Amino acid sequence: MGPSSRFSLKRQLLLWLLLPQIVLWLAGALFSYRLAGRYANEAVDATLLQATRSLARQVKPMGNGLLIDFPRAAQDVLEADPSDKLLYTVSSPPGQFILGNRNLPSPPAKPASPPLGEAQFYDGELDGADGDGQPASPVRVAALYLQFGENPKAQQTMLVQVARSSANRELLARRLLIDTMLPLSVLIVLMSMIVWAGVGAGLAPIARLRRLVEGRKPNDLRPIELDAAPQELRSLAQAINDLLDAVRHNVQGQRRFISDAAHQLRTPLAGLKSQSELALAEAPPGPLTMRLARVQESAARSAHLVNQLLALARTEPESVTRQTPVRLDLGRLAREVTAELVPRALQQQVDLGYDGPDCGDRDDDGADQATASESVEVTGIALLLREALVNLVDNAMRYAGRGSSVTVQVRRAGAEVELIVSDNGPGVPEALREQVFERFFRGTHEGNGCGLGLAIVKEIVERHGGRIALSDAEPRGLRVTLSVPAA
């Protein structure tokens, strides 16, 4: 199993879109931290430079010496904040302590001719605050070289240093980083949500195409309509439609052959059946009569098979789309079909009856007394629904046997209309109730059926958006229920 099979397309897109954002966010955080540190250094350096120049102004040359005008109040101001006090040192020449803190780190380089009047900034460590044995702490130091003395040829160099702890500088850098990265993080989260939604919306046509394909029945070969899809997905849909079109042409050829063959066989089989019946009626009793009876039975069975194949061809999607569904009264249709089949039922000694809305009494104007709430109207194709009912009643009379009773019922059940055909025959075992809807499957070897009746009924019911179910009749027998959406 390759990597492409372990990850979905959505996950891969999110990974390639969100991972660069995370990398850029980390790079932005590092850059912002460095930038914040630089700005913090600039702010601290400006403060140190001001303090250094102010301290240098308090040291005044006098003759060959120095006058230090540094009152105690000014010193208290510099050391007022114990957590962020300024440390200072004045030395002359560099290295000889005059005033301040002896532990300030020296400049990193001591040039032979140091730049005068130009401050230098550097980081160092203070080895114990005021020599009290505390651990070394990082500091930021500003150093300023000045000259003093009345004789220009014998001037001396003075070094003024002012230092501040780096802790506050780090705190300032962190605050700048937080203030910068917090809105950026919110923007990253919002962008990630937008990317997530955008990827979902971009992949929605694929999910819609999947539902269109998954929701289809095996015999539904209509082309897929996906005009609003992107060009890449439209190409995929077109490829699927080309495949469906090729399969449809192949299936149509097979169905056309079955329909043509059934039509061609219908007339000679009807003639064979008629001639065998006449020969059977005129032949004297004997072995020839038995052979003619078998011929007549085979001809009747073949004629029935041809009729069923023709009915099956009429239920196929291509045939259905050429017929327009209309609003019809299923109760009236069932009553008419039942009346038409009564002669056949009498011939087979079967008690055939109907129980439905059209059996009620009529008023003086001849209108049914059924109320609007009892309406059993459906939207469908009358020819197909008639074919389904004829197959159900024919199956019931054929397999229930002589002396049985068959009842056709029509009733309203919520948003559906139920057409029920029940008999008191042997019924169908529960283990076979799913298989009997398969084509050419017969649950019993009795009778001369061909195994297409219930398959045709199921096809017709599904074409009308309904369903079919088998259950036990009371006290015995089989109950077939067709449920079709009401009009």
Side-chain angles (χ1 to χ4, degrees):
M1 182 180 294
S4 60
S5 61
R6 294 197 298 266
F7 297 98
S8 67
L9 180 60
K10 184 175 182 179
R11 289 181 180 178
Q12 291 187 23
L13 288 175
L14 290 174
L15 180 65
W16 283 106
L17 290 174
L18 297 180
L19 186 59
Q21 293 186 31
I22 297 175
V23 173
L24 291 177
W25 182 84
L26 293 176
L30 180 61
F31 176 76
S32 299
Y33 182 74
R34 292 184 178 275
L35 189 64
R38 192 183 75 179
Y39 286 154
N41 278 340
E42 291 179 356
V44 172
D45 290 350
T47 304
L48 292 177
L49 177 61
Q50 182 179 4
T52 303
R53 295 188 182 279
S54 299
L55 180 60
R57 285 195 294 269
Q58 304 303 320
V59 181
K60 303 175 182 177
M62 178 175 288
N64 292 327
L66 294 173
L67 174 63
I68 302 175
D69 185 12
F70 194 57
R72 182 66 184 175
Q75 184 177 358
D76 292 339
V77 170
L78 292 177
E79 300 178 354
D81 187 359
S83 63
D84 189 27
K85 62 183 179 179
L86 290 175
L87 305 176
Y88 54 91
T89 297
V90 179
S91 58
S92 175
Q96 295 183 2
F97 175 77
I98 297 177
L99 177 68
N101 191 298
R102 295 177 179 271
N103 299 326
L104 287 186
S106 301
K110 296 181 179 180
S113 56
L116 300 177
E118 183 177 345
Q120 296 180 353
F121 301 95
Y122 58 92
D123 293 319
E125 288 189 353
L126 183 65
D127 296 331
D130 296 331
D132 58 1
Q134 294 184 359
S137 59
V139 291
R140 181 73 172 175
V141 185
L144 182 65
Y145 289 95
L146 299 173
Q147 285 186 339
F148 68 93
E150 295 181 354
N151 185 358
K153 296 183 179 179
Q155 285 188 337
Q156 300 183 32
T157 303
M158 178 179 62
L159 173 62
V160 180
Q161 294 172 279
V162 178
R164 169 172 279 179
S165 174
S166 297
N168 286 344
R169 183 188 63 177
E170 296 295 332
L171 178 61
L172 178 60
R174 284 195 297 269
R175 291 182 62 182
L176 288 175
L177 177 64
I178 292 175
D179 292 342
T180 304
M181 295 307 298
L182 184 59
L184 182 60
S185 301
V186 174
L187 290 177
I188 289 291
V189 171
L190 291 177
M191 185 178 297
S192 301
M193 296 174 61
I194 294 174
V195 168
W196 184 285
V199 170
L203 296 179
I206 297 180
R208 188 160 56 249
L209 176 61
R210 176 179 57 83
R211 290 193 297 269
L212 287 175
V213 176
E214 286 181 349
R216 288 184 169 229
K217 296 175 181 175
N219 53 4
D220 187 358
L221 301 177
R222 293 173 300 169
I224 298 174
E225 296 181 2
L226 206 62
D227 296 335
Q231 184 63 40
E232 296 79 5
L233 196 57
R234 196 177 304 134
S235 302
L236 174 61
Q238 183 61 44
I240 296 177
N241 286 340
D242 293 341
L243 178 61
L244 291 176
D245 186 65
V247 175
R248 183 169 58 252
H249 279 84
N250 188 16
V251 173
Q252 283 178 351
Q254 296 180 3
R255 290 170 178 166
R256 193 179 302 111
F257 170 77
I258 294 175
S259 179
D260 293 343
H263 275 290
Q264 293 296 327
L265 291 173
R266 191 174 187 180
T267 300
L269 284 176
L272 177 61
K273 181 181 177 183
S274 300
Q275 294 298 325
S276 62
E277 289 177 351
L278 292 175
L280 184 61
E282 296 175 357
L288 181 60
T289 304
M290 297 177 60
R291 291 188 177 92
L292 287 174
R294 291 180 181 176
V295 171
Q296 192 271 339
E297 182 180 351
S298 298
R301 185 170 181 176
S302 299
H304 178 67
L305 174 60
V306 168
N307 290 330
Q308 293 290 71
L309 288 175
L310 289 174
L312 187 61
R314 288 195 294 268
T315 64
E316 297 298 344
E318 291 79 6
S319 300
V320 173
T321 54
R322 291 195 294 267
Q323 305 178 55
T324 304
V326 296
R327 189 184 183 102
L328 55 94
D329 191 332
L330 191 58
R332 187 178 300 278
L333 177 65
R335 184 168 62 88
E336 293 174 357
V337 172
T338 304
E340 293 174 3
L341 295 177
V342 166
R344 189 189 305 180
L346 293 176
Q347 184 181 1
Q348 298 180 10
Q349 299 181 6
V350 174
D351 182 12
L352 176 61
Y354 169 77
D355 180 15
D358 285 335
C359 287
D361 297 331
R362 295 174 179 269
D363 55 22
D364 295 337
D365 296 332
D368 295 335
Q369 292 182 353
T371 62
S373 61
E374 298 171 341
S375 173
V376 290
E377 291 185 341
V378 298
T379 301
I381 301 172
L383 179 63
L384 295 184
L385 292 175
R386 177 184 292 271
E387 187 70 34
L389 182 55
V390 169
N391 273 280
L392 287 180
V393 177
D394 181 70
N395 267 10
M397 293 190 301
R398 189 184 302 273
Y399 295 107
R402 294 181 178 273
S404 61
S405 62
V406 177
T407 303
V408 179
Q409 295 176 287
V410 177
R411 66 185 184 186
R412 181 69 177 263
E416 295 180 328
V417 177
E418 292 183 346
L419 174 62
I420 304 169
V421 177
S422 56
D423 63 71
N424 59 353
V428 176
E430 189 171 354
L432 301 178
R433 290 181 182 175
E434 292 295 330
Q435 294 177 277
V436 294
F437 295 110
E438 299 176 5
R439 297 180 181 183
F440 300 106
F441 177 84
R442 298 186 62 197
T444 178
H445 295 290
E446 298 179 2
N448 58 354
C450 57
L452 285 175
L454 289 179
I456 293 173
V457 174
K458 182 180 180 182
E459 196 82 23
I460 292 174
V461 173
E462 289 179 348
R463 293 282 173 257
H464 288 78
R467 63 185 188 278
I468 181 172
L470 303 183
S471 59
D472 293 325
E474 296 295 338
R476 63 185 296 269
L478 181 67
R479 177 188 179 97
V480 184
T481 304
L482 306 185
S483 300
V484 182

